[in-house]
């Protein structure tokens, strides 16, 4: 059943947004990704590889990093090796050593909240302020 649903998503994301069914709310929210649909298809393929295959989530990890790079392109940030490296580190849960452009700082904040969820509230708040203002 999972493969059928993933195949449906792969088929929809392979089509231009204008041909997507109007009754699917998630597809309507993804219309902004029309130029980067390939990154979304890679996410579907990664989920299938993790659920059905035995790659240990490697394909999904690469697809998630690719989606972050696609998001950076959509935000008007020039593609650079530094952004790709930061996306890979974000997906792996490692600290991100470069200063991230302002358009991607919400991702840095999400990463911070995920990695410090067991810390004291003051540490979480001060870290979030630092990462939000400085981008690292």
């Amino acid at each position: 059943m999972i493969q059928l649903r993933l195949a449906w998503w792969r088929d929809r994301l392979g089509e231009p947004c204008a041909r997507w069914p109007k009754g699917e709310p998630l597809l309507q929210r993804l219309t902004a990704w029309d130029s980067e649909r390939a990154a979304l298809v890679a996410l579907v393929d990664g989920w299938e590889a993790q659920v059905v295959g035995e790659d240990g989530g490697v394909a999904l990890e690469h697809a998630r990093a690719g989606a972050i790079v696609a998001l950076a392109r959509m935000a008007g940030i020039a593609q650079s090796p530094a952004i790709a490296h930061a996306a890979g580190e974000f997906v792996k849960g490692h600290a991100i050593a470069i200063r991230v452009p302002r358009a991607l700082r919400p991702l840095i904040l999400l990463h911070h909240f995920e990695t410090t969820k067991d810390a004291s509230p003051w540490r979480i708040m001060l870290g979030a302020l630092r990462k939000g203002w400085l981008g690292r």
Side-chain angles (χ1 to χ4, degrees):
M1 188 65 153
I2 292 171
Q3 282 184 294
L4 288 173
R5 190 66 176 157
L6 290 172
W8 183 88
W9 278 101
R10 188 179 300 107
D11 291 345
R12 294 300 73 76
L13 296 172
E15 301 172 344
C17 291
R19 295 183 52 203
W20 289 354
K22 301 296 182 214
E24 182 64 46
L26 183 55
L27 281 176
Q28 295 306 309
R29 293 184 188 271
L30 292 174
T31 56
W33 285 74
D34 193 30
S35 62
E36 297 290 343
R37 288 188 328 268
L40 298 176
V41 171
L43 283 172
V44 172
D45 292 340
W47 274 108
E48 186 172 30
Q50 181 174 350
V51 172
V52 177
E54 297 180 7
D55 76 337
V58 174
L60 182 58
E61 185 177 293
H62 289 298
R64 288 178 66 204
I68 292 170
V69 171
L71 184 63
R73 281 193 301 267
M74 289 171 42
I77 300 168
Q79 187 168 345
S80 70
I83 294 295
H85 178 72
E89 295 300 306
F90 175 83
V91 168
K92 293 176 186 171
H94 298 155
I96 299 170
I98 67 165
R99 185 176 181 148
V100 176
R102 184 169 295 208
L104 292 180
R105 288 189 187 164
L107 292 176
I108 299 299
L109 287 173
L110 288 174
H111 181 266
H112 171 71
F113 292 135
E114 180 63 29
T115 57
T116 60
K117 59 185 168 192
D118 297 328
S120 70
W122 283 104
R123 182 174 177 203
I124 293 171
M125 184 189 75
L126 292 174
L129 287 172
R130 180 181 59 108
K131 290 176 188 287
W133 279 331
L134 301 178
R136 55 169 126 152

